[in-house]
């Protein structure tokens, strides 16, 4: 999660953060071998992409890592294949259970297929309300963790969800993760709701 946070936090809507192994070690405090091992798993999962540095001087190009946001310059073929497979499984389910179809249209439905599979793989039990455009993730499997880590976890999960939606292609975007404030006498906050929104898509 710290590696993903370091990759997400340096990017923007117009550009993505590209980090070397050394920079990720500095950002996370992890050993280079540990960073390499986790990066490989994240690449295999479709969450991180790697590229060689473009150099104008002599020397061996460095390997740069960035979050797979689904944008044209940060798209993972693994993530694309996962989104396509999720849509195919969703279509099969909707043929068996027609009532499970969403009223949001085909593209948004395929986005939800990909998002639900991603969340289930991540240990959540998502409940989608396609009228309110919310995804209820309660109880949050990370709620028992340290309270000071929660903002980072929510930020990373929001970035991952947005990447999945963008990769699948369609009008839905992940806008925010809503969690309850933690009062002094409150138990561990387990409620978690993701707010989606419909974006204006440019006609082809």
């Amino acid at each position: 999660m710290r590696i993903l946070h370091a990759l997400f936090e340096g990017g923007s809507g117009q550009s993505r953060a590209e980090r070397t192994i050394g920079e990720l070690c500095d950002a996370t405090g992890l050993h280079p071998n540990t960073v390499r091992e986790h990066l490989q798993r994240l690449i295999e999962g479709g969450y991180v992409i790697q590229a060689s540095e473009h150099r104008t001087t002599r020397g061996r190009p460095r390997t740069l890592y960035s979050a797979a946001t689904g944008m044209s310059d940060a798209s993972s073929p693994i993530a694309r294949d996962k989104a396509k497979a999720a849509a195919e499984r969703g279509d099969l389910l909707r043929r068996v259970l027609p009532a499970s179809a969403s009223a949001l249209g085909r593209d948004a439905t395929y986005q939800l297929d990909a998002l639900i599979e991603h969340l289930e793989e991540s240990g959540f039990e998502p409940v989608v309300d396609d009228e309110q455009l919310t995804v209820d993730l309660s109880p949050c499997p990370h709620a028992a963790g340290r309270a000071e880590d929660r903002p980072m976890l929510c930020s990373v999960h929001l970035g991952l969800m947005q990447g999945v939606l963008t990769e699948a292609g369609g009008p839905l975007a992940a806008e925010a993760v809503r969690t309850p404030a933690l009062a002094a006498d409150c138990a561990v906050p387990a409620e978690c709701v993701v707010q989606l929104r419909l974006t204006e898509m440019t006609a082809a």
Side-chain angles (χ1 to χ4, degrees):
M1 296 302 286
R2 295 204 300 272
I3 290 170
L4 283 170
H5 188 248
L7 293 175
F8 277 124
E9 69 177 357
S12 68
Q14 303 300 321
S15 63
R16 70 185 194 271
E18 293 182 308
R19 299 281 185 261
T20 64
I21 293 285
E23 290 169 337
L24 289 171
C25 290
D26 291 341
T28 62
L30 298 171
H31 189 276
N33 289 343
T34 303
V35 171
R36 286 190 185 92
E37 178 182 346
H38 285 285
L39 281 171
Q40 187 57 42
R41 293 181 183 180
L42 290 168
I43 291 168
E44 291 170 357
Y47 304 120
V48 168
I49 55 178
Q50 66 179 18
S52 294
E53 178 185 37
H54 296 292
R55 295 181 67 101
T56 57
T57 59
R58 289 190 178 186
R60 182 178 178 181
R62 299 177 300 175
T63 300
L64 302 175
Y65 300 88
S66 59
T69 64
M71 302 301 286
S72 59
D73 64 342
S75 177
S76 163
I78 295 171
R80 288 197 300 273
D81 289 345
K82 289 170 72 172
K84 182 179 178 182
E88 291 172 352
R89 286 187 287 270
D91 280 341
L92 179 60
L93 175 64
R94 284 181 286 276
R95 284 196 291 271
V96 177
L97 300 171
S100 64
S102 170
L104 292 173
R106 187 190 67 176
D107 291 344
T109 296
Y110 287 164
Q111 284 182 290
L112 290 175
D113 290 338
L115 181 61
I116 290 169
E117 288 208 6
H118 160 72
L119 291 169
E120 289 176 343
E121 287 177 2
S122 301
F124 295 95
E125 297 177 6
V127 177
V128 176
D129 184 330
D130 57 6
E131 292 185 0
Q132 298 298 318
L133 293 181
T134 59
V135 184
D136 191 339
L137 301 180
S138 308
C140 174
H142 303 290
R146 300 188 310 170
E148 58 267 32
D149 290 337
R150 194 170 176 86
M152 178 192 71
L153 292 170
C154 291
S155 174
V156 169
H157 279 296
L158 182 63
L160 290 173
M161 286 185 281
Q162 182 55 49
V164 169
L165 291 170
T166 303
E167 198 71 74
L172 290 177
E175 185 171 70
V177 176
R178 302 200 310 262
T179 57
L182 182 60
D185 59 346
C186 182
V188 174
E191 296 179 15
C192 178
V193 177
V194 179
Q195 183 65 56
L196 306 176
R197 64 181 171 86
L198 285 168
T199 62
E200 293 184 9
M201 296 189 68
T202 305

